[in-house]
Amino acid sequence: HFYKRFMSSKMRSTALFTVFRRQFATTTASKQQQQPAKTCLYQFHVAQGGRMVDFAGYSMPVQYSDMSIIQSHLHTRKHCSIFDVSHMLQSRVFGKDRFAFMESLTVADVQGLRKNSGTLTLFTNENGGIQDDLIVTNAEEHLYVVSNAGCREKDMKLMMERIDEMQGAGADVA
């Protein structure tokens, strides 16, 4: 309901695909704050009647005043909804070995992704155990990776260590 009333189709698309790369140092600093950080869509959520709660150090909506949880779920299934990912770890992976890099950490066939398409996948440890879930998108010249806010530091460390390892072996990945 309110998505159609307050946001044009172009605004909805822009909100869904806005990229905010978070730096590791920024993450650590925001966790030390007393008040949760506000995303770029905070004012929008509040204006739409969002009930804001602390989630992984960010003030995020859990429900909107004009819909019950069931109504919101049904609306999303029938129409669409936005999901504010600006609190999540968002990374871009560059280089000719970017596909091999991501496939070394996940269970996805990243090389097989069509341009501008993505997949839900899992970060795995050396024994194949699940560490976290994430979305990887083939954005033509880079991979766009979105993983969970609560695992931001762990996921960033995993990716940075693997990049260092691959670069040390001569791979082209950044």
Side-chain angles (χ1 to χ4, degrees):
H1 293 83
F2 69 86
Y3 303 105
K4 288 184 179 181
R5 284 185 290 179
F6 295 101
M7 296 180 76
S8 69
S9 176
K10 185 175 181 178
M11 287 173 64
R12 284 192 301 268
S13 295
T14 301
L16 285 171
F17 297 106
T18 301
V19 177
F20 295 95
R21 184 171 182 178
R22 302 287 186 207
Q23 299 297 326
F24 190 69
T26 304
T27 301
T28 304
S30 67
K31 281 192 172 185
Q32 294 171 354
Q33 296 174 352
Q34 294 293 332
Q35 297 295 320
K38 295 177 181 174
T39 70
C40 61
L41 294 177
Y42 175 82
Q43 291 301 331
F44 172 80
H45 294 307
V46 171
Q48 306 314 312
R51 185 168 56 108
M52 309 303 281
V53 300
D54 185 342
F55 179 80
Y58 288 85
S59 187
M60 301 296 294
V62 291
Q63 187 175 2
Y64 290 90
S65 60
D66 65 340
M67 288 187 191
S68 69
I69 292 172
I70 292 172
Q71 289 171 321
S72 178
H73 169 81
L74 294 174
H75 174 85
T76 300
R77 297 283 305 229
K78 187 173 181 181
H79 304 287
C80 77
S81 295
I82 61 171
F83 180 73
D84 185 351
V85 298
S86 56
H87 69 292
M88 300 177 82
L89 175 62
Q90 299 173 60
S91 306
R92 292 179 180 164
V93 182
F94 294 90
K96 67 180 173 82
D97 296 316
R98 65 188 179 274
F99 297 105
F101 162 75
M102 194 53 60
E103 288 181 354
S104 74
L105 296 173
T106 68
V107 296
D109 175 13
V110 181
Q111 180 76 44
L113 287 174
R114 292 185 317 265
K115 290 181 180 176
N116 297 313
S117 65
T119 187
L120 178 63
T121 188
L122 303 167
F123 277 134
T124 56
N125 62 28
E126 293 171 358
N127 298 320
I130 297 170
Q131 289 193 206
D132 194 10
D133 61 332
L134 64 148
I135 298 172
V136 179
T137 302
N138 180 0
E140 296 190 51
E141 271 123 54
H142 66 277
L143 296 176
Y144 176 55
V145 180
V146 180
S147 60
N148 290 305
C151 297
R152 175 188 306 262
E153 291 180 23
K154 178 179 70 170
D155 292 349
M156 184 63 118
K157 181 177 185 271
L158 176 73
M159 289 190 290
M160 295 306 294
E161 286 175 354
R162 183 67 179 137
I163 284 175
D164 289 344
E165 182 181 313
M166 288 182 72
Q167 285 176 343
D172 177 26
V173 62

